[in-house]
Coordinates of all heavy atoms in Angstrom, one line a residue:
M1 N 96.0 -4.3 42.6 CA 95.6 -5.4 41.8 C 94.4 -6.1 42.4 O 94.5 -6.4 43.6 CB 96.7 -6.4 41.6 CG 96.4 -7.6 40.7 SD 97.7 -8.7 40.3 CE 98.1 -9.5 41.8
S2 N 93.4 -6.4 41.7 CA 92.2 -7.2 42.2 C 92.7 -8.6 42.3 O 93.6 -9.1 41.8 CB 91.0 -7.0 41.2 OG 90.6 -5.7 41.2
S3 N 91.8 -9.3 43.0 CA 92.1 -10.7 43.2 C 91.4 -11.6 42.2 O 90.3 -11.3 41.8 CB 91.8 -11.2 44.7 OG 90.4 -11.0 44.9
I4 N 92.0 -12.7 41.8 CA 91.4 -13.6 40.9 C 90.4 -14.5 41.7 O 90.7 -15.1 42.8 CB 92.4 -14.5 40.2 CG1 93.5 -13.6 39.5 CG2 91.8 -15.6 39.3 CD1 92.8 -12.8 38.3
I5 N 89.2 -14.6 41.2 CA 88.1 -15.4 41.8 C 87.7 -16.5 40.8 O 87.5 -16.2 39.6 CB 86.9 -14.6 42.2 CG1 87.4 -13.5 43.2 CG2 85.8 -15.4 42.7 CD1 86.3 -12.4 43.4
I6 N 87.7 -17.7 41.2 CA 87.2 -18.9 40.4 C 86.0 -19.5 41.1 O 86.0 -19.9 42.2 CB 88.3 -20.0 40.3 CG1 89.6 -19.3 39.8 CG2 87.8 -21.1 39.5 CD1 90.8 -20.3 39.8
Y7 N 84.9 -19.5 40.3 CA 83.7 -20.2 40.7 C 83.9 -21.6 40.3 O 84.2 -21.9 39.1 CB 82.5 -19.6 40.1 CG 82.0 -18.3 40.7 CD1 82.5 -17.1 40.3 CD2 81.1 -18.3 41.8 CE1 82.1 -15.9 40.9 CE2 80.7 -17.1 42.4 CZ 81.2 -15.9 41.9 OH 80.8 -14.7 42.5
Y8 N 83.8 -22.6 41.2 CA 83.9 -24.0 40.8 C 82.9 -24.8 41.6 O 82.2 -24.2 42.4 CB 85.3 -24.4 41.2 CG 85.5 -24.8 42.7 CD1 85.7 -26.1 43.1 CD2 85.4 -23.8 43.7 CE1 85.8 -26.4 44.4 CE2 85.5 -24.2 45.0 CZ 85.7 -25.5 45.4 OH 85.8 -25.8 46.7
T9 N 82.9 -26.1 41.4 CA 82.0 -26.9 42.2 C 82.8 -28.1 42.7 O 83.6 -28.7 42.1 CB 80.8 -27.4 41.4 OG1 80.0 -28.2 42.2 CG2 81.3 -28.3 40.2
S10 N 82.6 -28.4 44.0 CA 83.2 -29.5 44.7 C 82.5 -30.8 44.4 O 82.9 -31.9 44.7 CB 83.4 -29.2 46.2 OG 82.2 -29.1 46.8
V11 N 81.3 -30.7 43.8 CA 80.4 -31.8 43.6 C 79.9 -31.7 42.2 O 79.2 -30.9 41.8 CB 79.1 -31.7 44.5 CG1 78.3 -32.9 44.3 CG2 79.5 -31.6 46.0
S12 N 80.5 -32.6 41.3 CA 80.1 -32.6 39.9 C 80.2 -34.1 39.4 O 81.1 -34.8 39.7 CB 81.0 -31.8 39.1 OG 80.7 -31.9 37.7
G13 N 79.2 -34.4 38.6 CA 79.1 -35.7 38.0 C 79.8 -35.7 36.6 O 79.9 -36.6 35.9
S14 N 80.2 -34.5 36.2 CA 80.7 -34.2 34.9 C 82.3 -34.3 34.9 O 82.9 -33.5 35.6 CB 80.3 -32.9 34.3 OG 81.1 -32.6 33.2
R15 N 82.8 -35.3 34.2 CA 84.3 -35.3 34.1 C 84.9 -34.1 33.4 O 85.9 -33.7 33.8 CB 84.7 -36.6 33.3 CG 86.1 -36.8 33.3 CD 86.5 -38.0 32.5 NE 86.1 -39.2 33.3 CZ 85.9 -40.4 32.8 NH1 86.1 -40.7 31.5 NH2 85.5 -41.4 33.6
E16 N 84.1 -33.6 32.5 CA 84.6 -32.4 31.7 C 84.8 -31.2 32.7 O 85.8 -30.5 32.7 CB 83.7 -32.1 30.5 CG 84.2 -31.0 29.7 CD 83.3 -30.7 28.5 OE1 82.1 -31.1 28.6 OE2 83.7 -30.0 27.6
V17 N 83.8 -31.0 33.5 CA 83.8 -29.9 34.5 C 85.0 -30.1 35.4 O 85.7 -29.1 35.6 CB 82.5 -29.7 35.2 CG1 82.6 -28.8 36.4 CG2 81.4 -29.2 34.3
K18 N 85.2 -31.3 36.0 CA 86.3 -31.5 36.9 C 87.6 -31.3 36.2 O 88.5 -30.7 36.8 CB 86.2 -33.0 37.4 CG 85.1 -33.3 38.3 CD 85.1 -34.7 38.7 CE 83.9 -35.0 39.6 NZ 83.8 -36.4 40.0
Q19 N 87.8 -31.8 35.0 CA 89.0 -31.6 34.3 C 89.4 -30.1 34.0 O 90.5 -29.7 34.2 CB 89.1 -32.4 33.0 CG 89.2 -33.9 33.2 CD 89.0 -34.7 31.9 OE1 88.4 -34.2 30.9 NE2 89.5 -35.9 31.9
R20 N 88.4 -29.4 33.6 CA 88.5 -27.9 33.3 C 88.9 -27.2 34.6 O 89.8 -26.3 34.6 CB 87.3 -27.4 32.7 CG 87.1 -27.8 31.3 CD 85.9 -27.3 30.7 NE 85.8 -27.7 29.3 CZ 84.9 -27.2 28.4 NH1 83.9 -26.4 28.9 NH2 84.9 -27.6 27.2
Q21 N 88.3 -27.5 35.7 CA 88.5 -26.8 37.0 C 90.0 -27.2 37.4 O 90.7 -26.3 37.8 CB 87.6 -27.4 38.1 CG 86.2 -26.8 37.9 CD 85.2 -27.4 39.0 OE1 84.2 -26.8 39.2 NE2 85.5 -28.4 39.7
E22 N 90.4 -28.5 37.3 CA 91.7 -28.8 37.6 C 92.8 -28.1 36.7 O 93.8 -27.7 37.3 CB 91.9 -30.3 37.5 CG 91.2 -31.1 38.6 CD 91.1 -32.6 38.4 OE1 91.7 -33.1 37.4 OE2 90.5 -33.3 39.2
E23 N 92.4 -28.0 35.4 CA 93.4 -27.3 34.5 C 93.5 -25.9 34.9 O 94.7 -25.3 35.0 CB 92.9 -27.5 33.1 CG 93.9 -26.8 32.1 CD 93.6 -27.0 30.7 OE1 92.7 -27.7 30.4 OE2 94.3 -26.4 29.9
V24 N 92.4 -25.2 35.2 CA 92.5 -23.8 35.6 C 93.3 -23.6 36.8 O 94.3 -22.8 36.9 CB 91.1 -23.2 35.8 CG1 91.2 -21.8 36.4 CG2 90.3 -23.0 34.4
T25 N 93.1 -24.3 37.9 CA 93.9 -24.2 39.1 C 95.3 -24.6 38.9 O 96.2 -23.9 39.5 CB 93.2 -24.9 40.3 OG1 93.1 -26.3 40.0 CG2 91.9 -24.3 40.6
R26 N 95.6 -25.6 38.1 CA 96.9 -26.1 37.9 C 97.7 -25.0 37.2 O 98.9 -24.6 37.6 CB 97.0 -27.3 37.1 CG 98.4 -27.9 36.9 CD 98.3 -29.2 36.1 NE 98.1 -28.9 34.7 CZ 97.0 -29.3 34.0 NH1 96.0 -29.9 34.6 NH2 96.9 -28.9 32.7
I27 N 97.1 -24.4 36.2 CA 97.8 -23.3 35.4 C 98.1 -22.1 36.3 O 99.2 -21.5 36.3 CB 97.0 -22.9 34.2 CG1 96.8 -24.0 33.2 CG2 97.6 -21.7 33.5 CD1 98.2 -24.6 32.7
L28 N 97.1 -21.6 37.1 CA 97.3 -20.5 38.0 C 98.3 -20.8 39.0 O 99.2 -19.9 39.3 CB 95.9 -20.1 38.6 CG 95.1 -19.1 37.9 CD1 94.8 -19.5 36.4 CD2 93.9 -18.6 38.6
D29 N 98.4 -22.0 39.5 CA 99.4 -22.4 40.4 C 100.8 -22.4 39.8 O 101.8 -22.0 40.4 CB 99.2 -23.8 41.0 CG 98.0 -23.9 42.0 OD1 97.5 -22.8 42.5 OD2 97.5 -25.0 42.2
T30 N 100.9 -22.9 38.6 CA 102.1 -22.8 37.8 C 102.6 -21.4 37.7 O 103.9 -21.1 37.8 CB 102.0 -23.4 36.4 OG1 101.5 -24.8 36.6 CG2 103.2 -23.4 35.6
Y31 N 101.7 -20.4 37.5 CA 102.2 -19.1 37.3 C 102.3 -18.3 38.7 O 102.5 -17.1 38.7 CB 101.1 -18.3 36.4 CG 101.4 -18.4 35.0 CD1 100.9 -19.6 34.2 CD2 102.0 -17.5 34.2 CE1 101.1 -19.7 32.9 CE2 102.2 -17.7 32.8 CZ 101.7 -18.8 32.2 OH 101.9 -19.0 30.9
K32 N 102.0 -19.1 39.7 CA 102.1 -18.5 41.1 C 101.1 -17.4 41.3 O 101.4 -16.4 41.9 CB 103.5 -18.2 41.5 CG 104.4 -19.4 41.5 CD 105.8 -19.0 41.9 CE 106.8 -20.1 42.1 NZ 106.8 -21.2 41.3
I33 N 99.9 -17.5 40.7 CA 98.8 -16.5 40.8 C 97.9 -16.9 41.9 O 97.4 -18.0 41.9 CB 98.1 -16.4 39.5 CG1 99.0 -15.9 38.3 CG2 96.9 -15.5 39.6 CD1 98.4 -16.0 36.9
K34 N 97.8 -16.0 42.8 CA 96.9 -16.3 44.0 C 95.4 -16.2 43.5 O 95.1 -15.3 42.7 CB 97.1 -15.3 45.1 CG 98.5 -15.5 45.8 CD 98.7 -14.5 46.8 CE 100.1 -14.7 47.4 NZ 100.4 -13.7 48.5
Y35 N 94.6 -17.0 44.0 CA 93.1 -17.0 43.6 C 92.3 -17.4 44.8 O 92.8 -18.1 45.8 CB 92.9 -17.8 42.4 CG 93.4 -19.2 42.5 CD1 92.5 -20.3 43.1 CD2 94.7 -19.6 42.2 CE1 93.0 -21.6 43.2 CE2 95.1 -20.9 42.3 CZ 94.3 -21.9 42.8 OH 94.7 -23.2 42.9
E36 N 91.0 -17.0 44.7 CA 90.0 -17.4 45.7 C 89.1 -18.4 45.0 O 88.6 -18.1 43.9 CB 89.3 -16.3 46.3 CG 88.2 -16.5 47.2 CD 87.3 -15.3 47.5 OE1 87.7 -14.2 47.1 OE2 86.3 -15.5 48.2
L37 N 88.8 -19.5 45.6 CA 87.8 -20.5 45.1 C 86.5 -20.2 45.8 O 86.4 -20.1 47.0 CB 88.2 -21.9 45.4 CG 89.5 -22.4 44.6 CD1 89.9 -23.7 45.1 CD2 89.2 -22.4 43.1
I38 N 85.4 -20.2 45.0 CA 84.0 -20.0 45.5 C 83.3 -21.3 45.0 O 83.1 -21.4 43.8 CB 83.4 -18.7 45.1 CG1 84.1 -17.5 45.6 CG2 81.9 -18.7 45.6 CD1 83.6 -16.2 45.2
D39 N 82.8 -22.0 45.9 CA 82.1 -23.3 45.6 C 80.7 -23.0 45.4 O 79.9 -22.7 46.3 CB 82.3 -24.3 46.7 CG 81.9 -25.7 46.4 OD1 81.2 -25.9 45.4 OD2 82.1 -26.6 47.3
I40 N 80.2 -23.3 44.1 CA 78.8 -23.0 43.8 C 77.9 -24.1 44.3 O 76.6 -23.9 44.4 CB 78.5 -22.8 42.2 CG1 78.9 -24.1 41.5 CG2 79.3 -21.7 41.7 CD1 78.4 -24.2 40.1
S41 N 78.5 -25.2 44.8 CA 77.6 -26.3 45.3 C 77.1 -26.1 46.7 O 76.3 -26.8 47.2 CB 78.4 -27.7 45.2 OG 79.4 -27.7 46.1
I42 N 77.6 -25.0 47.4 CA 77.2 -24.8 48.8 C 75.8 -24.2 48.8 O 75.1 -24.4 49.8 CB 78.2 -23.9 49.6 CG1 78.3 -22.5 48.9 CG2 79.5 -24.6 49.6 CD1 79.2 -21.6 49.7
S43 N 75.4 -23.5 47.8 CA 74.0 -23.0 47.8 C 73.6 -22.5 46.5 O 74.4 -22.1 45.6 CB 73.9 -21.8 48.8 OG 74.4 -20.6 48.2
L44 N 72.3 -22.6 46.3 CA 71.7 -22.1 45.0 C 72.0 -20.6 44.7 O 72.1 -20.2 43.6 CB 70.2 -22.4 45.0 CG 69.4 -22.1 43.7 CD1 70.0 -22.8 42.5 CD2 68.0 -22.3 43.9
K45 N 72.0 -19.9 45.8 CA 72.3 -18.5 45.7 C 73.6 -18.2 45.1 O 73.8 -17.3 44.3 CB 72.2 -17.8 47.1 CG 72.4 -16.3 47.1 CD 72.3 -15.7 48.5 CE 72.6 -14.3 48.6 NZ 72.6 -13.7 49.9
V46 N 74.7 -18.9 45.5 CA 76.0 -18.7 44.9 C 76.0 -19.1 43.4 O 76.6 -18.5 42.6 CB 77.1 -19.6 45.7 CG1 78.4 -19.4 45.1 CG2 77.1 -19.1 47.1
L47 N 75.3 -20.2 43.1 CA 75.2 -20.6 41.6 C 74.6 -19.5 40.9 O 75.0 -19.2 39.8 CB 74.4 -21.9 41.5 CG 74.0 -22.4 40.1 CD1 75.3 -22.7 39.3 CD2 73.2 -23.6 40.2
Q48 N 73.4 -19.0 41.4 CA 72.7 -18.0 40.6 C 73.6 -16.7 40.6 O 73.5 -16.0 39.5 CB 71.4 -17.6 41.4 CG 70.4 -18.7 41.3 CD 69.2 -18.6 42.2 OE1 69.3 -17.9 43.2 NE2 68.1 -19.2 41.8
E49 N 74.4 -16.4 41.6 CA 75.3 -15.2 41.5 C 76.3 -15.4 40.4 O 76.5 -14.5 39.6 CB 76.0 -15.1 42.9 CG 77.1 -14.1 42.9 CD 77.8 -14.1 44.2 OE1 77.3 -13.9 45.3 OE2 79.1 -14.6 44.2
M50 N 76.9 -16.6 40.3 CA 77.8 -16.8 39.2 C 77.2 -16.6 37.8 O 77.7 -15.9 37.0 CB 78.4 -18.2 39.3 CG 79.4 -18.6 38.2 SD 79.7 -20.3 38.1 CE 78.2 -20.9 37.2
R51 N 76.0 -17.2 37.7 CA 75.3 -17.1 36.4 C 74.9 -15.7 36.0 O 75.0 -15.3 34.9 CB 74.1 -18.1 36.3 CG 74.6 -19.5 36.3 CD 73.5 -20.5 36.3 NE 74.0 -21.9 36.0 CZ 73.3 -23.0 36.2 NH1 72.1 -22.9 36.5 NH2 73.9 -24.2 35.9
M52 N 74.5 -14.9 37.0 CA 74.1 -13.6 36.8 C 75.4 -12.8 36.4 O 75.3 -12.0 35.4 CB 73.5 -12.9 38.1 CG 73.1 -11.5 37.9 SD 72.5 -10.7 39.5 CE 74.2 -10.5 40.2
K53 N 76.5 -13.0 37.0 CA 77.7 -12.3 36.7 C 78.2 -12.5 35.3 O 78.8 -11.7 34.7 CB 78.8 -12.6 37.7 CG 78.7 -11.9 39.1 CD 79.8 -12.3 40.0 CE 79.9 -11.6 41.2 NZ 81.1 -11.8 42.0
V54 N 78.0 -13.8 34.8 CA 78.5 -14.1 33.5 C 77.4 -13.9 32.4 O 77.6 -14.1 31.2 CB 79.0 -15.6 33.4 CG1 80.2 -15.7 34.3 CG2 78.0 -16.6 33.6
S55 N 76.2 -13.5 32.9 CA 75.1 -13.2 31.9 C 74.7 -14.4 31.1 O 74.3 -14.3 30.0 CB 75.4 -12.0 31.0 OG 75.7 -10.9 31.8
T56 N 74.8 -15.6 31.7 CA 74.5 -16.8 31.0 C 73.7 -17.7 32.0 O 74.3 -18.2 32.9 CB 75.7 -17.6 30.5 OG1 76.5 -16.7 29.7 CG2 75.4 -18.8 29.6
P57 N 72.4 -17.9 31.8 CA 71.6 -18.6 32.8 C 72.0 -20.1 33.0 O 71.6 -20.7 34.0 CB 70.2 -18.6 32.2 CG 70.3 -18.0 30.8 CD 71.6 -17.4 30.6
K58 N 72.7 -20.7 32.0 CA 73.1 -22.1 32.2 C 74.7 -22.3 32.3 O 75.2 -23.4 32.0 CB 72.6 -22.9 31.0 CG 71.1 -23.0 31.0 CD 70.5 -23.9 30.0 CE 69.0 -23.9 30.1 NZ 68.4 -24.9 29.3
A59 N 75.3 -21.2 32.7 CA 76.8 -21.3 32.8 C 77.2 -22.4 33.8 O 76.6 -22.6 34.8 CB 77.3 -19.9 33.2
L60 N 78.3 -23.0 33.4 CA 78.9 -24.0 34.3 C 80.3 -23.6 34.8 O 80.9 -22.8 34.1 CB 79.1 -25.4 33.5 CG 77.8 -26.0 33.0 CD1 78.1 -27.2 32.1 CD2 76.9 -26.4 34.2
P61 N 80.7 -24.2 35.9 CA 82.1 -23.8 36.3 C 83.1 -24.5 35.5 O 82.7 -25.5 34.8 CB 82.1 -24.3 37.7 CG 81.0 -25.4 37.8 CD 80.0 -25.0 36.8
P62 N 84.3 -24.1 35.5 CA 84.8 -22.9 36.2 C 84.6 -21.6 35.5 O 84.5 -21.6 34.3 CB 86.3 -23.2 36.3 CG 86.6 -24.0 35.0 CD 85.4 -24.8 34.7
Q63 N 84.3 -20.5 36.2 CA 84.2 -19.2 35.7 C 85.2 -18.3 36.5 O 85.3 -18.5 37.7 CB 82.8 -18.7 35.9 CG 81.7 -19.5 35.1 CD 81.9 -19.4 33.6 OE1 82.3 -18.4 33.1 NE2 81.5 -20.4 32.9
I64 N 85.9 -17.5 35.7 CA 87.0 -16.7 36.3 C 86.8 -15.2 36.3 O 86.3 -14.7 35.2 CB 88.3 -17.0 35.6 CG1 88.6 -18.5 35.6 CG2 89.5 -16.3 36.2 CD1 89.8 -19.0 34.7
F65 N 87.1 -14.6 37.4 CA 86.9 -13.1 37.5 C 88.2 -12.5 38.1 O 88.9 -13.2 38.9 CB 85.8 -12.8 38.5 CG 84.4 -13.1 37.9 CD1 83.9 -14.3 38.0 CD2 83.7 -12.1 37.3 CE1 82.7 -14.7 37.5 CE2 82.4 -12.4 36.8 CZ 81.9 -13.7 36.9
N66 N 88.5 -11.3 37.7 CA 89.6 -10.5 38.3 C 88.8 -9.5 39.0 O 88.4 -8.5 38.4 CB 90.5 -9.9 37.3 CG 91.7 -9.2 37.9 OD1 91.6 -8.7 39.0 ND2 92.8 -9.1 37.2
G67 N 88.6 -9.6 40.3 CA 87.8 -8.7 41.1 C 86.3 -8.9 40.5 O 85.8 -10.0 40.5
Q68 N 85.7 -7.8 40.1 CA 84.4 -7.9 39.5 C 84.4 -8.1 38.0 O 83.3 -8.2 37.4 CB 83.5 -6.7 39.9 CG 83.3 -6.5 41.4 CD 82.4 -7.7 41.9 OE1 81.4 -8.0 41.3 NE2 82.8 -8.3 43.0
E69 N 85.5 -8.0 37.4 CA 85.7 -8.1 35.9 C 85.7 -9.5 35.5 O 86.6 -10.3 35.9 CB 86.9 -7.3 35.5 CG 86.9 -7.1 34.0 CD 88.1 -6.2 33.5 OE1 88.9 -5.8 34.4 OE2 88.1 -6.0 32.3
Y70 N 84.8 -9.9 34.6 CA 84.7 -11.2 34.1 C 85.9 -11.5 33.1 O 86.1 -10.7 32.2 CB 83.4 -11.4 33.3 CG 83.2 -12.8 32.8 CD1 83.2 -13.9 33.7 CD2 82.8 -13.0 31.5 CE1 83.0 -15.2 33.2 CE2 82.6 -14.3 31.0 CZ 82.7 -15.4 31.9 OH 82.5 -16.6 31.4
C71 N 86.6 -12.5 33.3 CA 87.8 -12.9 32.4 C 87.4 -13.9 31.4 O 87.8 -13.9 30.3 CB 88.9 -13.4 33.3 SG 89.6 -12.3 34.4
G72 N 86.4 -14.8 31.7 CA 86.0 -15.7 30.7 C 85.8 -17.1 31.2 O 85.7 -17.4 32.4
V73 N 85.8 -17.9 30.3 CA 85.6 -19.4 30.3 C 84.1 -19.8 30.0 O 83.7 -20.9 30.2 CB 86.1 -20.1 31.6 CG1 86.1 -21.6 31.5 CG2 87.5 -19.6 32.0
R74 N 83.3 -18.8 29.4 CA 82.1 -19.2 28.8 C 82.4 -20.3 27.8 O 81.8 -21.3 27.7 CB 81.4 -18.0 28.1 CG 80.5 -17.3 29.0 CD 79.7 -16.3 28.1 NE 79.4 -15.2 29.0 CZ 79.8 -14.0 28.9 NH1 80.5 -13.6 27.9 NH2 79.5 -13.0 29.7
D75 N 83.4 -20.0 27.1 CA 84.0 -20.9 26.0 C 85.4 -21.3 26.5 O 86.3 -20.5 26.5 CB 84.1 -20.2 24.7 CG 84.8 -21.0 23.6 OD1 85.1 -22.2 23.9 OD2 85.1 -20.5 22.5
F76 N 85.6 -22.5 27.0 CA 86.8 -23.0 27.6 C 87.9 -22.8 26.7 O 89.1 -22.7 27.1 CB 86.7 -24.4 28.1 CG 87.8 -24.8 29.0 CD1 87.8 -24.2 30.3 CD2 88.8 -25.5 28.7 CE1 88.8 -24.6 31.2 CE2 89.9 -25.9 29.5 CZ 89.9 -25.4 30.8
E77 N 87.7 -22.8 25.3 CA 88.8 -22.7 24.3 C 89.5 -21.4 24.5 O 90.7 -21.3 24.2 CB 88.2 -22.9 22.9 CG 87.9 -24.3 22.5 CD 89.1 -25.2 22.7 OE1 90.2 -24.9 22.1 OE2 89.0 -26.2 23.3
M78 N 88.8 -20.4 25.0 CA 89.6 -19.1 25.2 C 90.7 -19.2 26.2 O 91.7 -18.7 26.0 CB 88.5 -18.0 25.7 CG 87.5 -17.7 24.7 SD 86.1 -16.7 25.4 CE 86.9 -15.6 26.5
F79 N 90.4 -19.9 27.3 CA 91.4 -20.2 28.3 C 92.5 -21.1 27.7 O 93.7 -20.8 28.0 CB 90.8 -20.8 29.5 CG 91.8 -21.0 30.7 CD1 92.1 -20.0 31.5 CD2 92.3 -22.3 30.8 CE1 93.0 -20.2 32.5 CE2 93.2 -22.5 31.9 CZ 93.6 -21.5 32.7
H80 N 92.1 -22.1 27.0 CA 93.1 -23.0 26.5 C 94.1 -22.3 25.5 O 95.3 -22.5 25.5 CB 92.4 -24.2 25.8 CG 93.3 -25.3 25.4 ND1 93.9 -26.1 26.3 CD2 93.7 -25.7 24.2 CE1 94.7 -27.0 25.7 NE2 94.6 -26.8 24.4
K81 N 93.5 -21.5 24.6 CA 94.3 -20.7 23.7 C 95.3 -19.8 24.4 O 96.5 -19.7 24.0 CB 93.4 -19.9 22.7 CG 92.9 -20.7 21.6 CD 92.1 -19.8 20.7 CE 91.4 -20.6 19.6 NZ 90.6 -19.8 18.7
A82 N 94.8 -19.1 25.5 CA 95.6 -18.2 26.3 C 96.8 -19.0 26.9 O 97.9 -18.5 26.9 CB 94.8 -17.5 27.3
K83 N 96.5 -20.2 27.4 CA 97.6 -21.1 27.9 C 98.6 -21.4 26.9 O 99.7 -21.3 27.0 CB 96.9 -22.3 28.5 CG 98.0 -23.2 29.1 CD 97.3 -24.5 29.5 CE 97.2 -25.4 28.3 NZ 96.9 -26.8 28.5
E84 N 98.1 -21.9 25.7 CA 99.0 -22.4 24.6 C 99.8 -21.2 24.1 O 101.0 -21.3 23.7 CB 98.1 -22.9 23.5 CG 97.5 -24.2 23.8 CD 98.4 -25.3 24.3 OE1 99.5 -25.5 23.6 OE2 98.2 -26.0 25.3
N85 N 99.3 -19.9 24.1 CA 100.0 -18.8 23.5 C 100.7 -18.0 24.6 O 101.2 -16.9 24.4 CB 99.0 -17.8 22.8 CG 98.3 -18.4 21.7 OD1 99.0 -19.2 21.0 ND2 97.2 -18.0 21.3
K86 N 100.8 -18.6 25.8 CA 101.5 -18.0 27.0 C 100.9 -16.6 27.2 O 101.7 -15.6 27.5 CB 103.0 -17.9 26.8 CG 103.5 -19.4 26.7 CD 105.0 -19.4 26.6 CE 105.7 -20.7 26.5 NZ 105.1 -21.9 26.6
E87 N 99.6 -16.5 27.2 CA 98.9 -15.2 27.4 C 97.9 -15.2 28.6 O 96.9 -14.6 28.7 CB 98.1 -14.7 26.2 CG 99.1 -14.4 25.0 CD 98.3 -14.0 23.7 OE1 97.1 -14.4 23.6 OE2 98.9 -13.4 22.9
I88 N 98.3 -16.1 29.5 CA 97.4 -16.3 30.8 C 97.2 -15.0 31.5 O 96.2 -14.6 31.9 CB 97.9 -17.4 31.7 CG1 97.7 -18.7 31.0 CG2 97.3 -17.3 33.0 CD1 96.3 -19.2 30.8
L89 N 98.3 -14.2 31.7 CA 98.2 -12.9 32.5 C 97.3 -11.9 31.7 O 96.5 -11.2 32.3 CB 99.6 -12.3 32.6 CG 100.6 -13.1 33.5 CD1 101.9 -12.5 33.6 CD2 100.0 -13.4 34.8
K90 N 97.4 -11.9 30.4 CA 96.5 -11.1 29.6 C 95.0 -11.5 29.7 O 94.1 -10.7 29.9 CB 96.9 -11.1 28.2 CG 96.1 -10.2 27.2 CD 96.7 -10.3 25.8 CE 95.9 -9.4 24.9 NZ 96.4 -9.5 23.5
F91 N 94.8 -12.8 29.6 CA 93.5 -13.4 29.8 C 92.9 -13.0 31.1 O 91.7 -12.7 31.2 CB 93.6 -15.0 29.7 CG 92.2 -15.7 29.9 CD1 91.4 -15.8 28.8 CD2 91.9 -16.1 31.1 CE1 90.2 -16.4 29.0 CE2 90.7 -16.8 31.3 CZ 89.8 -16.9 30.2
L92 N 93.7 -13.1 32.2 CA 93.2 -12.7 33.5 C 93.2 -11.2 33.8 O 92.9 -10.8 34.9 CB 94.1 -13.4 34.6 CG 94.2 -15.0 34.6 CD1 95.2 -15.5 35.5 CD2 92.8 -15.5 34.9
K93 N 93.5 -10.5 32.8 CA 93.5 -9.0 32.9 C 94.5 -8.5 34.1 O 94.1 -7.6 34.8 CB 92.1 -8.5 33.1 CG 91.1 -8.9 32.0 CD 89.7 -8.5 32.2 CE 88.7 -9.0 31.3 NZ 88.9 -9.5 30.0
I94 N 95.6 -9.1 34.1 CA 96.6 -8.8 35.1 C 97.6 -7.9 34.5 O 98.2 -7.0 35.1 CB 97.3 -10.0 35.7 CG1 96.3 -10.8 36.5 CG2 98.5 -9.7 36.5 CD1 96.8 -12.1 37.0
E95 N 97.9 -7.9 33.2 CA 98.9 -7.1 32.5 C 98.2 -6.1 31.6 O 97.1 -6.2 31.2 CB 100.0 -7.8 31.8 CG 99.5 -8.9 30.8 CD 100.7 -9.4 30.0 OE1 101.7 -9.7 30.6 OE2 100.5 -9.6 28.8

């Protein structure tokens, strides 16, 4: 099984970004899913890497990957629906 990677930022003026990041990590913690956090605020290179991987030049965190496979969060509603439908494992491409 590949590892779950979450691109996030430790520095954000956006309440929405902070809330979304907290929700993603809280849900993964609830499911006891191990994940690695990569902070895009540490360098422009890491931010550009995240945006290149999601193929969206203005993508904001959080962005979730299972190994190199993009799971989503371009549209946060996808993650929210997966949570509500109890399909987080499917969303994360774990099952």
Side-chain angles (χ1 to χ4, degrees):
M1 177 172 80
S2 295
S3 62
I4 301 298
I5 299 167
I6 302 171
Y7 284 88
Y8 84 109
T9 182
S10 60
V11 181
S12 177
S14 168
R15 180 178 296 159
E16 184 177 19
V17 167
K18 288 178 185 179
Q19 288 173 336
R20 289 178 173 187
Q21 291 179 159
E22 289 170 4
E23 182 174 357
V24 167
T25 56
R26 186 180 72 249
I27 297 300
L28 270 56
D29 289 343
T30 299
Y31 279 82
K32 296 181 176 35
I33 297 170
K34 293 180 183 177
Y35 55 88
E36 174 187 357
L37 292 172
I38 298 178
D39 188 353
I40 64 167
S41 69
I42 61 170
S43 80
L44 182 59
K45 183 179 177 184
V46 177
L47 171 63
Q48 290 170 335
E49 172 187 293
M50 177 194 78
R51 290 179 170 169
M52 183 188 74
K53 285 182 170 184
V54 300
S55 303
T56 305
K58 295 188 179 191
L60 297 173
Q63 298 296 330
I64 304 172
F65 291 81
N66 185 336
Q68 294 297 312
E69 188 173 4
Y70 184 55
C71 296
V73 191
R74 269 188 209 116
D75 171 10
F76 195 74
E77 283 303 308
M78 293 168 39
F79 181 81
H80 190 70
K81 280 184 183 176
K83 178 187 84 168
E84 293 299 315
N85 296 330
K86 298 188 182 348
E87 295 180 338
I88 289 293
L89 298 179
K90 183 177 178 182
F91 177 86
L92 296 172
K93 302 174 184 345
I94 293 175
E95 57 173 38

